[in-house]
């Protein structure tokens, strides 16, 4: 396939940035999207030009590093996949593909297609954990019966990889699906009950301080989420937050 790429280029966080057109030829439909970008970067390096910076790590849809806004969609036109799992067979010969970074006030651009998503880390640090006494008093994981439905929902919430697609696709740049998933995975299990009140209050507070917007209730986040995280997790977070607030 021969393609035209319109790619956001930005030298650093303070640079204004602009869209730049590139041509790539003989792209195999079996290539992943990131492999196609690798081909482009090889060409740029050969010409003595600066390669396009983009985030990636595992390239298996696990780590959540890859974060491209492709033709107006987080992670591109496919569903249930991250950018690294997107294949070029989803495009046609002669297509023009627009590639931008995830855009949100809380996700400032570092360079080109790379954004700073450490806001998610700070939200996690605010309460996305369970404190466990490991000084010889640990209890076997199977010692506490857990309802199968609750366990399944907790595992589903825990599949969130923190890529930020929910933020990028939301017109308010809301992080409520991410935070809802992180709150839910603990709220549904006995291990998370002890710190439940502080957890939801602290994580929501940190989310607001990072500059994320409010939920729009349009559901775009669930549609674009590569792991299919359900909107039910936002409802559960709101319930947990209300209960925690009433406790004072």
């Amino acid at each position: 396939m021969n393609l035209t790429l319109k790619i956001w280029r930005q030298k650093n966080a303070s640079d204004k940035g602009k869209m730049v057109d590139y041509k790539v030829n003989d792209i195999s439909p079996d290539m992943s999207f990131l492999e196609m970008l690798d081909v482009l970067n090889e060409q740029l390096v050969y010409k003595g030009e600066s390669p396009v910076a983009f985030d990636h790590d595992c390239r298996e849809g696990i780590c959540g590093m890859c974060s491209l806004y492709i033709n107006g969609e987080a992670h591109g036109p496919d569903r249930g996949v991250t950018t690294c799992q997107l294949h070029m067979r989803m495009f046609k010969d002669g297509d023009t593909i627009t590639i931008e970074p995830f855009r949100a006030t809380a996700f400032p651009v570092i360079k080109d297609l790379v954004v700073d998503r450490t806001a998610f880390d700070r939200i996690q640090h605010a309460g996305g954990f369970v404190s466990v006494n490991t000084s010889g008093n640990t209890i076997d994981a199977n010692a506490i019966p857990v309802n199968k439905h609750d366990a399944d929902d907790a595992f589903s919430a825990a599949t969130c990889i923190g890529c930020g697609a929910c933020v990028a696709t939301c017109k308010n740049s809301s992080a409520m699906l991410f935070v809802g998933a992180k709150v839910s995975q603990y709220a549904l299990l006995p291990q998370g009950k002890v710190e439940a009140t502080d957890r939801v209050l602290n994580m929501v507070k940190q989310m607001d301080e990072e500059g994320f917007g409010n939920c729009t209730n349009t559901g775009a986040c669930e549609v674009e989420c590569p792991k299919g995280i359900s909107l039910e997790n936002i409802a559960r977070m709101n319930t947990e937050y209300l209960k925690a607030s009433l406790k004072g």
Side-chain angles (χ1 to χ4, degrees), residues 133-202:
N133 184 352
T134 58
S135 59
N137 298 314
T138 52
I139 300 174
D140 187 271
N142 296 322
I144 305 174
V146 178
N147 180 279
K148 180 64 164 58
H149 180 73
D150 289 342
D152 288 344
D153 285 348
F155 274 111
S156 294
T159 61
C160 170
I161 56 176
C163 66
C166 51
V167 175
T169 198
C170 177
K171 55 191 175 184
N172 280 357
S173 298
S174 173
M176 290 189 74
L177 191 66
F178 167 76
V179 180
K182 299 307 177 183
V183 168
S184 290
Q185 77 179 75
Y186 296 113
L188 289 162
L189 299 176
Q191 296 92 330
K193 301 295 185 183
V194 178
E195 298 165 302
T197 298
D198 290 341
R199 176 181 300 110
V200 68
L201 292 176
N202 291 339

Side-chain angles (χ1 to χ4, degrees), residues 20-36:
V20 178
D21 291 359
Y22 297 99
K23 299 283 187 181
V24 287
N25 300 319
D26 301 322
I27 298 298
S28 168
D30 295 324
M31 283 183 178
S32 72
F33 198 86
L34 296 190
E35 288 172 334
M36 180 273 295

Side-chain angles (χ1 to χ4, degrees), residues 18-74:
K18 62 180 180 179
M19 300 298 293
V20 178
D21 291 359
Y22 297 99
K23 299 283 187 181
V24 287
N25 300 319
D26 301 322
I27 298 298
S28 168
D30 295 324
M31 283 183 178
S32 72
F33 198 86
L34 296 190
E35 288 172 334
M36 180 273 295
L37 289 180
D38 289 338
V39 170
L40 170 64
N41 278 343
E42 286 180 5
Q43 295 174 2
L44 294 177
V45 170
Y46 183 77
K47 295 177 183 177
E49 299 178 25
S50 176
V52 177
F54 60 91
D55 261 334
H56 63 95
D57 191 1
C58 74
R59 298 201 178 202
E60 295 179 342
I62 299 171
C63 70
M65 286 296 292
C66 56
S67 52
L68 302 182
Y69 208 66
I70 304 165
N71 285 348
E73 297 180 90

